[in-house]
Amino acid sequence: MNRTRIWTAVALPLVTVSGLLATAPVASAATAGASACTTNYFWQNKDSDTGRAIRAVVAPVRELPASCGDKIAEVNSDFKLQYHCYITNSSGNQWTHVRIDGTSVNGWVYSLNLDDGGSKKHC
């Protein structure tokens, strides 16, 4: 499935849900240095835990574990996330690799945007 169809399938329900959420502060990673967006990050499915975004937060799911990574989708606390593992990027921020439960959409979420701080298994 191409990214446009994935985004459409995931984004349409999010637009409705996220439009109902009150504006709340979102924890965000410190501005990523250039190396955070040029480094290859590898992940493995090492974790069987699940989690959710912090209540009232719309958290971006990104292609790279950095705020400069392309946004693939957005999730809120209504979405169950399957954890894979975490890394600490070159800017010192912890990111968890996730899959949105019930979909094939996966990517990186800034761990402080997750209700339990993210995966406890290092990639």
Side-chain angles (χ1 to χ4, degrees), residues 41-47 65 83-89 92-98 107-112 114 117-123:
Y41 293 97
F42 299 99
W43 63 273
Q44 295 177 328
N45 191 356
K46 294 182 172 183
D47 198 339
Y83 291 169
H84 295 150
C85 59
Y86 80 90
I87 60 98
T88 302
N89 69 10
N93 297 307
Q94 185 174 315
W95 291 74
T96 296
H97 197 272
V98 303
W108 298 95
V109 176
Y110 182 52
S111 294
L112 291 181
L114 299 170
S119 176
K120 306 299 182 240
K121 305 279 183 173
H122 190 269
C123 294

Side-chain angles (χ1 to χ4, degrees), residues 3 9 28 32 39-40 45-46 59 63-64 72 84 97 108 113-114 122:
R3 186 179 306 153
S28 62
T39 302
N40 288 325
N45 191 356
K46 294 182 172 183
E63 281 189 322
L64 296 171
I72 300 167
H84 295 150
H97 197 272
W108 298 95
N113 283 337
L114 299 170
H122 190 269

Side-chain angles (χ1 to χ4, degrees), residues 29-38 62-71 89 91 95:
T31 304
S35 63
C37 285
T38 58
R62 298 189 179 273
E63 281 189 322
L64 296 171
S67 57
C68 56
D70 288 341
K71 188 180 347 178
N89 69 10
S91 297
W95 291 74

